Amino acid sequence: MSHFTKTIRGVAVAALTLVASSAFAQQELKIMAPAGPGGGWDSAARSIQQVLTQNGLAKSVQVTNVTGAGGTIGLAQFVNNAKGDPNQLMVNGITMIGAILSNKSPVNLDQVTPIARLTGDPLVIVVPANSPIKSVKELADAVKADPAKVTWAGGSAGGADHILAALFTKAAGSEPSKVNYIAFSGGGEALAAMLGGRVTAGVSGYGEFESQIKAGKLRALAISSGKRLAGADVPTLKEQGMDVEVVNWRAIMAPPAITADQKKAHAETIDKLVKSKEWAEILKQRGWEDFYLAGAPFESFLKEEQARVGDVLKSIGLVKS
């Protein structure tokens, strides 16, 4: 083989390598938010869309919404229709774990390809401003005395809000199966019930209730994360003697049956996304915690979280043992 031929072949190999490494930037991606517009998963999907396109990490990104059953309708579509397609992704989180179990979903998270956990949304426990309950201890005492008399407002049954209400009830020394939880389809409806004094306490992402807390219409009793939230003068449950921690995390998944190289390309792209200044700005704007976890540690976390959520949902009777 002549030196010239070797050189040409070397250039061709280098060119192919370059094409492979930049292939992701040429992709036209679709990201499914398995919920309606305006909620947490939709916001996460559109934030990812924004940063991927701003940084040239994908050629174009389209967000689609598939609503219903705590994300399990979207999950079923994703598992069945996106199989082997490296150009599709799906956002999900802790609420989907609960929905898979409580809805007896025919598909589950073992059938998708986990890429990374991205954000954490600390939950806040609030009471109406005119409530006689002024502290976590007083709420815990009321729950212990008669859990049926304490009504909780939150999002979908089996989701992060419901899990927190159940764990709080247990930590207060009462029976989680007796938690009196009213599921609302959106934060707005839960807020109306709170402001109308129709429920004892409410649970939601801090961002959902922030303006009403700051306006003095709601009293924030506790944050559910392990540490205090920056910019919010609200103590954690652990600080107040309740050994409870729940974060409404969100993650990104790829379809089943993609190749190891395709999975690696997704992981590298998401790593660039979370390390960008644009992503840091979005976290700050939305009050989300950086909850980035990828690779094998994320896969282990998913298994542990499925077991933990399963135990909680069994304790409140949403899932039969």
Side-chain angles (χ1 to χ4, degrees):
M1 188 190 294
S2 72
H3 176 72
F4 177 74
T5 310
K6 277 183 183 172
T7 305
I8 291 294
R9 184 166 288 182
V11 168
V13 168
L16 279 172
T17 307
L18 183 65
V19 167
S21 65
S22 64
F24 203 83
Q26 301 309 311
Q27 283 185 350
E28 295 179 4
L29 289 176
K30 278 186 181 175
I31 302 178
M32 180 198 285
W41 289 343
D42 180 66
S43 301
R46 290 178 197 281
S47 299
I48 294 164
Q49 175 191 43
Q50 184 184 326
V51 177
L52 287 177
T53 48
Q54 275 177 338
N55 287 287
L57 293 170
K59 189 177 176 184
S60 70
V61 184
Q62 179 190 351
V63 172
T64 56
N65 295 89
V66 180
T67 60
T72 55
I73 290 172
L75 175 66
Q77 278 192 28
F78 190 68
V79 165
N80 295 320
N81 302 343
K83 190 175 180 182
D85 184 351
N87 298 327
Q88 296 199 51
L89 293 166
M90 180 186 69
V91 169
N92 72 345
I94 189 173
T95 296
M96 185 178 278
I97 291 180
I100 287 166
L101 295 166
S102 54
N103 294 327
K104 298 187 175 65
S105 170
V107 289
N108 61 50
L109 294 181
D110 295 340
Q111 292 166 270
V112 296
T113 306
I115 301 297
R117 189 184 71 189
L118 298 175
T119 65
D121 200 359
L123 303 174
V124 64
I125 297 175
V126 295
V127 293
N130 60 0
S131 168
I133 293 169
K134 302 278 195 292
S135 67
V136 159
K137 186 184 182 304
E138 287 176 7
L139 182 61
D141 289 346
V143 166
K144 191 173 183 182
D146 189 351
K149 275 192 179 165
V150 176
T151 49
W152 297 80
S156 57
D161 303 347
H162 198 169
I163 288 165
L164 178 55
L167 289 173
F168 185 98
T169 301
K170 186 179 179 184
S174 201
E175 187 52 53
S177 62
K178 292 183 176 155
V179 67
N180 189 349
Y181 184 83
I182 305 160
F184 291 90
S185 60
E189 290 178 37
L191 183 61
M194 294 288 312
L195 297 177
R198 298 194 301 277
V199 292
T200 315
V203 180
S204 190
Y206 181 80
E208 289 255 8
F209 286 156
E210 183 177 26
S211 59
Q212 280 75 25
I213 292 166
K214 289 187 171 169
K217 292 179 179 177
L218 294 176
R219 181 184 302 123
L221 300 182
I223 288 277
S224 69
S225 49
K227 62 180 193 294
R228 286 197 185 203
L229 192 59
D233 185 25
V234 185
T236 66
L237 281 164
K238 287 191 169 179
E239 278 179 65
Q240 300 177 79
M242 302 282 282
D243 189 18
V244 175
E245 188 176 332
V246 180
V247 173
N248 187 7
W249 55 266
R250 299 185 188 99
I252 189 112
M253 307 288 191
I258 60 169
T259 68
D261 282 348
Q262 287 164 345
K263 182 181 178 181
K264 186 168 176 268
H266 278 308
E268 286 170 357
T269 299
I270 295 301
D271 191 64
K272 286 175 188 164
L273 170 119
V274 298
K275 288 173 179 168
S276 70
K277 63 180 192 304
E278 291 85 357
W279 185 251
E281 192 54 41
I282 281 171
L283 294 183
K284 194 174 159 190
Q285 280 169 10
R286 294 194 172 273
W288 293 340
E289 284 193 55
D290 179 2
F291 220 44
Y292 180 48
L293 189 68
F298 174 50
E299 291 176 27
S300 299
F301 166 82
L302 261 184
K303 286 188 172 63
E304 288 160 15
E305 195 73 337
Q306 287 177 80
R308 179 171 86 127
V309 171
D311 287 346
V312 173
L313 298 189
K314 282 171 192 162
S315 79
I316 55 183
L318 267 185
V319 173
K320 300 290 176 272
S321 301

